[in-house]
Each structure stands twice: as C-alpha cells, then as structure tokens.
C-alpha cells in the first residue's frame, strides 16, 4: 500500500495519539486547526494548511479530531470534496446528523470510519473473539465500567454541544455492549452532574436490554482531578465468564464450565502497538484494498442512537425503546 496522505483536522487533546499513529504508519500529514496547528505539526514533523480549501488537494483522507458539535459539518465538507473520512467518536452530536453523514459518504462513494478505538484494545478484541468462538456460550449478562478524571475544557459539560459523559465517555461501552452482546432494544438510565471537589464531576448508570434478551449494565464516572483512568468488563454466558479489569494484575481471565482444566487466560495479545495505531492501520487498509474494517459508519450511527436513548431516559426517568429499524446490525464490521 502507498503511504496515506492525511489531513488531520484539529489539534486538541486527542490529536496527539492520532498524530503518533499516522506517523507510525509513515503517513504524509497536513494539519489544519483554528488553534495549535503549527505546534502539533512541529512536534510530529508535519505540515500545516491555513484553510480547508488549501487542505483538500494535498490529502486522500481526513481525520477529524475536533469537538463533537463540529464533526458532522467537517465530515460533510470532506465528503463533498471527495475525501475519505476518519472521525473521532461520536460520529455526530445526533443520530440524525450521523445518518446524514453516512448517507452522504455512500452517495459520494467514499469510505467513512468512526474512531471507536476500544474495538482495537486487545482485551476487548479477545473477548469478542472468545464470544464468537462460543467459549462462554450465549451471552446473558454483561457489565462495563469506565472511570477517569473529569475533562478540563468547558465544552465537555455543555450537554447541547457534547452530549456530556454519555456521548463523550460512555459511548465507548455502549458500543462495546452492542458489539459483544448484540443489538440493543431498550434502555433505562440515571445520571448526575455537579460542581465540587475542585472541579466538575459526572456519573451515569445505564441498563441495556438487548434484542436477544441479554442485559448489559454500563457505568461511567468523570471524577476528581486525581482519579486515575480505569476500565473493566465482565461478560457472563450460559457456558462461562469473561473478566477484564485494567486495575488488576491478573487483568484478563476466562472462566468456563465443564472440566476443572477448561478455564485459563484469554489468548495472549500483543500490546506493543497502540490501539490508535491499529485502528488507523485498519482504516487505511480498508481504503487501500476495499476490505471491511472493524467499524463502519452505521456502527457510528448506532452508538449515537443508543447514547441519545440513554440521555432521554436519564431526563425522563422512563425506559426508552430504540426504533425497530435501528436494531438491524451494520453490514461492515459489526455484529456479523
């Protein structure tokens, strides 16, 4: 494959890991951002473009790493210029906007990839492989937890712009719940947000009922400034249990029914490559060869739709049903 020519749009916090990933892949990268473009370019040895009009002729694809509310507009501009699109999660602030982006990409014949990077973390990928191989039987109950210090930028706490903790942080595990346990039919949620402890904190607890009858519990926290990042999952089937907790030394285990020696560790995974690099390599391979990637535009719409249902349930205190037509899996990289 030829080296990718990439337009990196945005130079905020998440841009660094994307920039490192593209550099590891030998990409020719041009940075465009309202703020910080030159500093990011200098750090990684990239070039800059002052305007989007200057950017388009220099690149084959764009990687959008700007605040959530700008994703749809920038993605549509890139699609209109005939460029492939990688977009940090969420794909858009609303599922309607995300759907518009997916439809525009399909009409233009360009590829679109929401950056749901947790699909590329070795432990989560190993769990999916184990489930698909039938190692724990039929999934019945899953639990996901994700905790970190609260973000510092004000826009994260403006729910109209960001979707708050649900759309920015928990969307990772909402996507994982559907990826590992199948399409979600209904949600029930509670959330809190307040000022204090030297900053703002937020939390949400969500129960997802899947079409299969499986239940997923998803818990997210934006906490005090010293709270370290942790994530975990526990997935129980009728034939065994998968557990992962990054805070434990024995972080990944699979417990199976049957003979005493049937259990053991999940297959060893290579953690030497950044999941962000693995994600970008998968997207570039899909663009270059026409292959199917591990995440598609429709997956991005699904994740936003579930997050919207969570927000609606938390606001109303009621169970929210997902539309029947939205429970159909995507044809690329999803629940096949």
């Amino acid at each position: 494959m030829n080296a990718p020519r990439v337009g990196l749009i945005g130079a905020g916090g998440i841009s660094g890991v994307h920039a490192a990933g593209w550099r590891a892949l030998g990409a020719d990268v041009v940075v465009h951002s309202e703020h910080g473009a030159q500093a990011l370019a200098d750090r990684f040895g990239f070039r800059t473009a002052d305007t989007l009009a200057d950017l388009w002729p220099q690149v084959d694809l764009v990687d959008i790493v700007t605040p959530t509310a700008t994703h749809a507009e920038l993605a549509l501009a890139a699609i209109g210029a005939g460029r492939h699109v990688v977009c940090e999660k969420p794909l858009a602030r609303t599922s309607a906007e995300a759907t518009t982006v997916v439809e525009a990409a399909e009409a233009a014949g360009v590829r679109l990839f929401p950056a749901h990077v947790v699909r590329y973390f070795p432990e989560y990928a190993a769990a999916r492989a184990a489930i698909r191989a039938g190692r724990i039987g039929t999934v019945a109950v899953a639990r996901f937890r994700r905790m970190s210090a609260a973000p510092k930028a004000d826009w994260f706490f403006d729910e109209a712009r960001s979707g708050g903790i649900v759309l920015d942080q928990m969307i990772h595990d909402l996507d994982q719940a559907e990826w590992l346990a199948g399409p979600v039919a209904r949600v029930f949620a509670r959330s809190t947000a307040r000022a204090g402890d030297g900053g703002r904190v937020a939390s949400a607890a969500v129960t997802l009922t899947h079409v299969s009858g499986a239940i997923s519990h998803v818990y997210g926290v934006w906490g005090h400034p010293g709270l370290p990042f942790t994530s975990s999952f526990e997935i129980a089937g009728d034939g065994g249990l998968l557990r992962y907790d990054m805070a434990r030394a024995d972080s990944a285990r699979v417990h199976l029914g049957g003979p005493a020696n049937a259990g053991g560790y999940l297959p060893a995974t290579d953690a030497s490559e950044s999941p962000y690099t693995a994600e970008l390599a998968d997207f570039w391979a899909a663009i270059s060869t026409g292959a199917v990637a591990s995440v598609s535009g429709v997956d991005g719409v699904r994740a936003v739709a579930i997050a919207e249902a969570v927000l609606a349930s938390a606001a109303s205190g009621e169970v929210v049903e997902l539309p029947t037509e939205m429970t159909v899996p995507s044809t690329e990289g999803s629940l096949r």
Side-chain angles (χ1 to χ4, degrees):
M1 294 182 293
N2 294 327
R5 298 191 311 152
V6 178
L8 186 61
I9 303 179
I14 197 65
S15 66
V17 290
H18 283 247
W22 287 122
R23 185 171 64 179
L25 295 174
D28 176 20
V29 180
V30 183
V31 181
H32 170 72
S33 180
E34 292 183 0
H35 307 284
Q38 192 62 58
L40 184 67
D42 290 345
R43 176 182 169 193
F44 288 94
F46 299 157
R47 295 175 287 116
T48 63
D50 292 335
T51 67
L52 291 176
D54 292 336
L55 181 68
W56 306 138
Q58 303 182 63
V59 302
D60 303 308
L61 72 149
V62 299
D63 184 358
I64 299 168
V65 290
T66 56
T68 296
T70 66
H71 287 181
E73 180 181 359
L74 289 169
L76 290 171
I79 291 166
R83 301 303 181 261
H84 304 292
V85 174
V86 174
C87 183
E88 241 317 317
K89 57 79 200 159
L91 181 54
R93 174 58 185 84
T94 69
S95 59
E97 290 177 337
T99 299
T100 298
V101 172
V102 170
E103 291 174 346
E106 291 176 350
V110 301
R111 303 295 292 273
L112 170 67
F113 305 101
H116 285 276
V117 71
V118 175
R119 293 192 181 201
Y120 297 86
F121 275 71
E123 299 81 7
Y124 291 82
R128 176 168 162 84
I131 292 167
R132 292 182 61 145
R135 296 191 69 188
I136 64 167
T138 301
V139 174
V141 178
R143 295 180 175 86
F144 302 88
R145 188 196 72 221
R146 191 166 300 267
M147 304 173 68
S148 69
K152 295 180 180 179
D154 289 340
W155 69 267
F156 286 101
F157 286 87
D158 182 348
E159 193 168 285
R161 296 172 63 195
S162 73
I165 189 173
V166 172
L167 202 61
D168 187 80
Q169 185 226 58
M170 292 185 74
I171 196 169
H172 284 302
D173 292 313
L174 299 177
D175 176 64
Q176 284 298 305
E178 185 154 278
W179 200 48
L180 299 175
V184 173
R186 63 188 64 89
V187 308
F188 180 72
R190 287 287 186 268
S191 66
T192 63
R194 65 180 179 83
D197 300 321
R200 288 171 291 191
V201 299
S203 66
V206 180
T207 299
L208 307 173
T209 302
H210 298 262
V211 171
S212 67
I215 301 294
S216 290
H217 302 284
V218 182
Y219 181 59
V221 172
W222 277 342
H224 60 82
L227 182 66
F229 172 78
T230 59
S231 69
S232 67
F233 63 73
E234 184 176 279
I235 305 164
D238 57 7
L241 176 70
L242 296 169
R243 286 177 171 166
Y244 165 69
D245 187 339
M246 68 175 294
R248 292 176 57 92
D250 59 338
S251 61
R253 291 298 302 264
V254 54
H255 307 272
L256 304 178
N261 63 355
Y265 285 91
L266 286 167
T269 53
D270 181 5
S272 62
E273 182 179 59
S274 160
Y276 292 93
T277 302
E279 171 187 60
L280 298 176
D282 186 36
F283 297 160
W284 179 238
I287 290 169
S288 300
T289 68
V292 173
S294 292
V295 62
S296 73
V298 174
D299 295 324
V301 175
R302 282 291 304 161
V304 176
I306 297 168
E308 284 181 323
V310 169
L311 290 170
S313 177
S316 69
E318 304 291 335
V319 171
V320 174
E321 305 278 344
L322 283 168
T324 302
E325 65 270 18
M326 286 299 293
T327 61
V328 178
S330 90
T331 57
E332 180 178 315
S334 186
L335 304 164
R336 296 169 289 110

